[in-house]
Structure formats: C-alpha cells, structure tokens
Amino acid sequence: MTAESTEANADTLRLELHKVLTEIFHDGVGLVETNGVLKAIDEAVTRILTFLGKVESKKPPVEVPKEFICKLSKTIMIEPVIIASGQTFEKKHITKWLKHNNTCPETKTVLSHLCLTPNHSINELITQWCLVNKYDRPDPQPSDEIVIEMFTGDIEPLLHRISSPSSVADQIEAAKELALQTSKFVNVRDFFVKELHDSITRLLTPLSNLGDEVDSNPELQENILTSLLNISTVEKSQKVIAENPLVIPLLTKSLRKGTDQTKAVSAATLTSLSGIDSNKIIIGNSEALKALIDLIRDSDDLSATGEAGYAVLNLCSDESENMEKAISEGLILALLKKILAGRNVENMVSILASISTNNQAKEKIVELGIVCDILKILRNTSCLLTGENAIEILFKMFDTIRGTARLRILQEEELLYKTFTKLARQGSDRAARKAQEILQWMEMFAEKEKRQKMLELAALN
C-alpha cells in the first residue's frame, strides 16, 4: 500500500467518523429516553467497525523479507539451518535434498560435510518480524525425521561439539545428531569405537562431570546415553565399552536419576553389554545390579521396569553368583510387588518363570508365600503367555518336591476353581501339557492318600 493511498483511506475514515458523530449529536438532542441515545451509538459503532473491515480488507498481504524465505520451499522458514556452504535453508527441505545430493542447492558446490547447524540468529529475526507484523508463522510439525548418514570425517567434529561445547544448546544439538546417526547407521556405530581415539570417555565426560547431578540436563543425558546404547549393540565393541571406568557407574547413576526414558535406555544398555560373559562379572560386581532391582520395585513406568527386568535376567543367565546377589538384593520381592499391583504382569511373571529353575529362587518363592499369588494369576489371567509362565513356575516348584502340604494347596485350588482342568482344555499347548501333568500328580496323590487311609483302617480292625 502506497503512502498516498494510506493517507486517502485515513481521510475517508475521518470524514465517516465526523458524519456518524454529527448524526448521533443531532439525533440525541431530540431523544428523551437515554436508551434511544445508546441505541444510536451502538448503531454508529457497528457502522464504523464495518467500514474499518472494508478498509482492512483492501490492504495487500504483508511481504516477507527474502532473507526469511527458504530457497527450496519458497516459503517462510520455520526451522532454519546452515549447511557447509554457509547457506541457510528450511531444515525439512534441505534434509530431503541432501538425501540424494552432496551439493549446495544454491551455490552448486560440493559440501565438505553434511552437518546441519541451527541458525538461531535468523530464527530470532524471523520470530521478531512475525510479532511486529502480526504474521502467522506455522509451528514446527512433528514428522518422521530423515537422517542422512554422515561422512566418517564428520563424526569427530560432532564428538568434539559434545565433549568441548561452545554452548549448551550446540552440545545438545550435537548429542541429538549423534543419537540419530548411531541409531540409523551401523557404519557410524562401528567407526565410533574402532576409529575415534578415546571416544567413549569423550562422549561420557560431560555427564560424568555432573556427578550426582547427572540428570540436571535431561535432554543431554538422554541423547548421550541413547548414543551409548546404539554403539553397545556392536558385539566387538561391548568389551571395550564395559571396561571403560566411566560406563557402568554412569549407567548406575542414570538408573536412579533421570527421566523414565533415560532409565529404560540405561537398563537396555546393560542388557546389551551383558551379552559377553566377562561383562556380566564386571556389572555384577558393581552397584548396577542393585539399581536395576530397585528400579523394578519402585518405578511405575512399564518400559523402564520391563527393560530393567530383562537386564537382570540377562546378567543372571549362566552366572550363579549374580543370581545369588540378585535374590539377596530382593529381586523376587520386587517382581512380586509389581505382579500383585497388576503392573507389567506379563513381563514380571515371564522373568519369574525364567529364574524359578534356581533352587535358591524356589526357596525364596516358598518363603514369601508367593504360591497362592501365582495360583490367583493363573486363575484370572486371560493372557495365554502369562498363564503359560505362571504354570511353569508352579511346575518347577513342585516337580522335584511334591510334599503333602504343597500338593494339598494344588488340590484345593482344583477343587474350588477347576483351574488346572480349565487350563488343560483352554490353555496354550505348553500350558495344557503342564496342567495335565499336575492333574496326574494330584490323582496319584489322592490315590496314595486313599491307600494310606485303608491301611490305617485295617490296622485298627
């Protein structure tokens, strides 16, 4: 809109306002009732607003400065990022471009790296301009992020930004990018440990330096530990990672202090590292085992408790010393607490079934009086897998020791609820076979008791 047209519209508006107010004044003189004056004013205001609407509708749309426009999308930038050539583009569109090209779309030069750096300066300028001009700038939309595999030469600078950051914001951005890279690309995971000097120490030092305040920057903590989890899936790197003096203590702290997601990631990393027998000993001799059991007992997050449970299971597999430690640290009581609370029952019963082959575990289950609780689960569950695992626990407990008191518990359950008969007919194949065997035990037990009574009667006669 030109200066002349703006002035003309202003003059027109002044004339209209003068005309309306004059009418109100003259009409008001002849009005006796105040309501009549008010009505005239209301009508006049409506006319003014209508006229203002017409003036506003004639205004041309605000022109966005060309510096704020992405050269790929031709629209205002929402998440501006800088590429290696120094040019700024909208993140979503330049990411798609780089998926198939290694050149700058503006200068056509080959890029030295494919890192994307947020352009905070231009983003702030756009934000301020939009506020001043009342421009409706779209919010960033969540979407499936396209991740481009970095050149191996780009990983070292990325790690440097994490270990020696220029700012906290840049450190978090670098940690997030590394988490994405190690999640998507095996080559990056392999290269990180194999080719980068002291990479694990450099990655974890920012969190280690926080000491007990490891969770003071949750986003940084989560991204660094997610990177560690991704890297730990490379089998040939697992020994080196577990033997690093920062790793197990930091994972232990993060099991205790961090978001639910961070706790789940820490537990999953311990599961991954415990794939090697020597690592099971390292982890078992640390505080990590107790921290995992505490997490199972105290957390209400299904993902975190599930990951912690499977980490303990992995650590105790073929490692009797770890199993004894886990039981003495309260593993069975922690599992029972979750089962009775109805939290993550399927996973918790599955873990309990896996450890119930251990004689110490069997004794602890009996000591805690968990048999009746397992029978309740077996009686009420609609999940075939949970039913299968629950009867597996009972079967292992009663298979070697079928004392009178124990068998009588099963007999009472069958008499009151027909639990084993139902399971033999409706359970999974495996559960049905176990139920049939338990029914046979009870039949033999009943026959034995019958013979015993007959002998006692004969002796009396």
Side-chain angles (χ1 to χ4, degrees):
M1 182 178 288
T2 64
E4 291 81 1
S5 63
T6 301
E7 187 176 350
N9 281 328
D11 288 340
T12 305
L13 182 58
R14 278 195 295 273
L15 289 171
E16 181 66 16
L17 285 171
H18 184 271
K19 179 181 176 183
V20 168
L21 291 173
T22 301
E23 290 176 1
I24 293 173
F25 175 76
H26 287 297
D27 290 345
V29 170
L31 291 171
V32 179
E33 295 181 7
T34 305
N35 288 342
V37 176
L38 294 176
K39 183 179 179 183
I41 292 173
D42 287 341
E43 291 174 351
V45 169
T46 301
R47 286 168 60 189
I48 292 169
L49 293 175
T50 301
F51 184 81
L52 285 172
K54 291 178 180 178
V55 171
E56 189 67 25
S57 65
K58 292 177 182 178
K59 291 172 63 178
V62 178
E63 185 176 348
V64 179
K66 63 179 182 179
E67 295 83 4
F68 300 166
I69 299 292
C70 173
K71 296 178 180 68
L72 287 173
S73 67
K74 310 302 181 186
T75 58
I76 192 167
M77 289 184 282
I78 302 170
E79 292 182 276
V81 293
I82 306 170
I83 62 173
S85 65
Q87 301 293 313
T88 296
F89 298 91
E90 172 60 39
K91 181 178 180 181
K92 176 182 176 181
H93 296 283
I94 191 61
T95 301
K96 288 181 179 178
W97 168 274
L98 294 176
K99 187 72 175 174
H100 306 287
N101 305 275
N102 65 348
T103 58
C104 171
E106 179 70 11
T107 65
K108 310 304 180 187
T109 56
V110 176
L111 299 172
S112 59
H113 63 78
L114 300 181
C115 293
L116 303 179
T117 305
N119 192 331
H120 297 296
S121 298
I122 197 72
N123 188 53
E124 181 61 25
L125 287 172
I126 295 173
T127 300
Q128 292 302 320
W129 181 87
C130 288
L131 288 172
V132 170
N133 292 276
K134 296 181 174 57
Y135 187 91
D136 189 15
R137 183 190 186 193
D139 293 325
Q141 295 297 313
S143 59
D144 294 332
E145 191 159 5
I146 300 172
V147 185
I148 307 152
E149 184 170 5
M150 286 183 165
F151 304 138
T152 52
D154 296 335
I155 305 299
E156 169 64 38
L158 195 63
L159 179 58
H160 181 76
R161 287 167 59 196
I162 297 170
S163 59
S164 304
S166 58
S167 68
V168 174
D170 185 62
Q171 185 182 42
I172 291 172
E173 191 69 28
K176 182 180 178 182
E177 180 62 31
L178 184 62
L180 287 170
Q181 289 288 323
T182 53
S183 171
K184 294 282 185 180
F185 307 112
V186 176
N187 289 340
V188 175
R189 296 197 288 268
D190 187 45
F191 177 86
F192 190 86
V193 175
K194 187 177 178 182
E195 302 294 339
L196 294 184
H197 174 68
D198 209 18
S199 57
I200 299 300
T201 298
R202 292 165 64 196
L203 174 65
L204 299 183
T205 295
L207 294 183
S208 182
N209 288 342
L210 295 174
D212 289 336
E213 302 302 316
V214 67
D215 59 336
S216 59
N217 189 331
E219 192 174 2
L220 180 66
Q221 181 189 23
E222 185 175 317
N223 283 308
I224 286 179
L225 292 180
T226 298
S227 297
L228 182 65
L229 168 60
N230 298 335
I231 295 160
S232 75
T233 60
V234 180
E235 188 175 351
K236 59 188 175 183
S237 300
Q238 289 171 351
K239 190 172 188 297
V240 173
I241 294 171
E243 290 177 352
N244 185 293
L246 296 183
V247 172
I248 306 304
L250 185 57
L251 290 172
T252 302
K253 285 181 181 177
S254 296
L255 287 169
R256 291 175 170 147
K257 300 186 76 173
T259 64
D260 288 331
Q261 176 63 21
T262 299
K263 291 174 182 178
V265 166
S266 300
T269 305
L270 289 168
T271 302
S272 176
L273 293 176
S274 61
I276 296 177
D277 288 342
S278 61
N279 287 354
K280 290 180 182 179
I281 296 171
I282 294 171
I283 299 168
N285 288 333
S286 73
E287 289 293 310
L289 189 57
K290 184 178 187 309
L292 287 165
I293 294 168
D294 291 344
L295 180 60
I296 294 170
R297 184 188 65 237
D298 300 330
S299 176
D300 286 326
D301 185 76
L302 297 183
S303 177
T305 53
E307 291 289 358
Y310 287 117
V312 172
L313 189 58
N314 227 36
L315 287 166
C316 295
S317 176
D318 300 321
E319 185 56 50
S320 58
E321 191 172 335
N322 282 350
M323 177 69 82
E324 290 172 6
K325 287 180 182 177
I327 293 170
S328 65
E329 292 288 357
L331 173 60
I332 294 174
L333 194 58
L335 294 172
L336 178 60
K337 180 182 177 182
K338 280 289 172 287
I339 292 168
L340 294 180
R343 302 289 297 172
N344 218 353
V345 173
E346 185 176 328
N347 285 338
M348 298 299 108
V349 172
S350 174
I351 294 164
L352 191 58
S354 297
I355 67 172
S356 61
T357 53
N358 179 275
N359 287 329
Q360 188 178 350
K362 289 179 185 178
E363 291 172 6
K364 196 68 178 177
I365 290 170
V366 174
E367 179 188 324
L368 292 170
I370 196 175
V371 173
C372 292
D373 296 306
I374 296 299
L375 284 170
K376 186 177 179 181
I377 291 168
L378 194 60
R379 185 190 318 141
N380 297 323
T381 186
S382 58
C383 175
L384 290 177
L385 182 59
T386 299
E388 191 173 298
N389 284 318
I391 199 166
E392 183 72 21
I393 295 168
L394 291 173
F395 192 82
K396 287 173 181 175
M397 289 177 59
F398 287 87
D399 189 28
T400 52
I401 306 173
R402 302 177 197 166
T404 301
R406 291 188 178 185
L407 282 169
R408 192 158 280 135
I409 292 172
L410 298 185
Q411 234 179 6
E412 289 173 2
E413 177 71 21
E414 176 65 16
L415 183 64
L416 290 172
Y417 305 105
K418 300 294 182 184
T419 302
F420 301 105
T421 299
K422 290 177 184 176
L423 199 61
R425 292 173 182 168
Q426 302 169 6
S428 66
D429 290 345
R430 185 164 166 240
R433 287 196 300 272
K434 300 291 184 186
Q436 287 285 6
E437 289 192 55
I438 289 175
L439 287 169
Q440 289 174 8
W441 294 349
M442 289 189 287
E443 190 177 333
M444 291 168 60
F445 175 67
E447 187 63 31
K448 183 179 177 182
E449 278 198 325
K450 184 179 177 180
R451 286 199 303 269
Q452 184 66 34
K453 285 181 180 178
M454 288 176 67
L455 289 171
E456 288 173 359
L457 287 171
L460 290 173
N461 294 329

